[in-house]
Amino acid sequence: MQTHDTCWGLLRRRTCLVPTWRGGVLLSLLLLGSLLLVLLGAHPFLAVSEPAAAEVLAVEGWVSDHVLAAVVRECERQSYSAVYVTGGPLERGAPLSEFKTYAELGAATLVQLGLPAELIHSVPAPPVRRDRTYAAALALHQWLREHEQLPHSLTVVSEGAHARRSRLLYRRTFPEVSQVGVLTVPALEYDPARWWCSSQGFRTVISEGIGYLYVRCWFRP
């Protein structure tokens, strides 16, 4: 309800509604429920694992060694025609390493873990300042087209909360591929069920959630 103007027409008085104690309790419960939904649902949503019945695997070369060990076990469990390891330049230690990209490092690690070298293809991505996952997917897409090896289906191997964003970017990069799945290996640096209890888990889930929203809402290849 508007009352008369005051202070020579520069200010005016208004009345507003405020919650009663019942309304305050209801709002508090809604906020608490929303918070619990985020805490309990964010990580399972981001760390989705839905492998396709794929011919090939696309492995993100930056993942931890235990993820690469899981790739070896997956190849022992199921037959794949090829394993492609992607990734751009190493962010640190490159001058001291014989490997200059995550793709090369990941491929060499897979060989050392027992995967046949003839099954593995290293596909380095160019250096970029942003959208590195997309750059890696695009480099793989171009390599497969140039070698006339574009598959009908593929599964991306990722780690933890990065998985859903990776699958989305690969699906956008490979529109002609009928099935793009994702095989997710949990991260070991934090407890996925209580990710908010560690700084590493909190940073990872929050940053990956923001990254996924960016790709879903604003990113255009």
Side-chain angles (χ1 to χ4, degrees):
M1 174 180 177
Q2 183 173 335
T3 64
H4 60 280
D5 292 344
T6 61
C7 295
W8 303 286
L10 298 179
L11 300 173
R12 58 185 178 181
R13 190 185 306 275
R14 288 182 179 273
T15 59
C16 63
L17 297 175
V18 295
T20 64
W21 70 269
R22 294 184 181 87
V25 170
L26 179 59
L27 288 175
S28 299
L29 290 175
L30 289 175
L31 290 174
L32 179 60
S34 300
L35 178 61
L36 289 175
L37 183 63
V38 170
L39 292 179
L40 298 178
H43 194 277
F45 176 79
L46 294 171
V48 59
S49 186
E50 296 177 350
E55 308 167 44
V56 302
L57 291 179
V59 182
E60 298 189 298
W62 57 264
V63 296
S64 304
D65 288 348
H66 79 280
V67 180
L68 297 175
V71 171
V72 176
R73 293 192 297 271
E74 172 66 13
C75 291
E76 293 172 348
R77 185 188 68 84
Q78 182 173 329
S79 177
Y80 292 93
S81 61
V83 175
Y84 301 99
V85 187
T86 66
L90 294 177
E91 296 171 348
R92 59 180 300 180
L96 302 176
S97 174
E98 62 179 301
F99 309 109
K100 304 305 178 185
T101 67
Y102 285 105
E104 296 167 317
L105 178 60
T109 303
L110 286 174
V111 171
Q112 289 297 314
L113 290 173
L115 200 63
E118 59 272 15
L119 192 66
I120 305 168
H121 301 275
S122 171
V123 186
V128 294
R129 296 181 63 183
R130 53 183 291 181
D131 301 323
R132 287 173 292 184
T133 300
Y134 171 69
L138 184 60
L140 177 59
H141 185 268
Q142 293 172 341
W143 190 95
L144 291 171
R145 288 183 65 89
E146 291 172 0
H147 291 79
E148 298 182 351
Q149 297 180 17
L150 201 64
H152 295 291
S153 59
L154 68 86
T155 288
V156 183
V157 179
S158 190
E159 182 174 356
H162 193 264
R164 185 172 289 272
R165 179 156 60 106
S166 292
R167 183 179 65 175
L168 177 58
L169 286 168
Y170 271 80
R171 282 179 173 176
R172 291 187 176 182
T173 311
F174 288 82
E176 62 275 83
V177 174
S178 60
Q179 286 186 309
V180 177
V182 63
L183 175 61
T184 306
V185 181
L188 299 181
E189 293 79 10
Y190 59 91
D191 180 3
R194 296 173 57 84
W195 57 267
W196 58 89
C197 293
S198 70
S199 60
Q200 181 64 41
F202 191 87
R203 289 196 306 269
T204 299
V205 173
I206 296 301
S207 63
E208 290 297 343
I210 294 172
Y212 174 75
L213 288 176
Y214 162 72
V215 172
R216 172 63 71 182
C217 301
W218 293 287
F219 177 75
R220 295 294 179 270

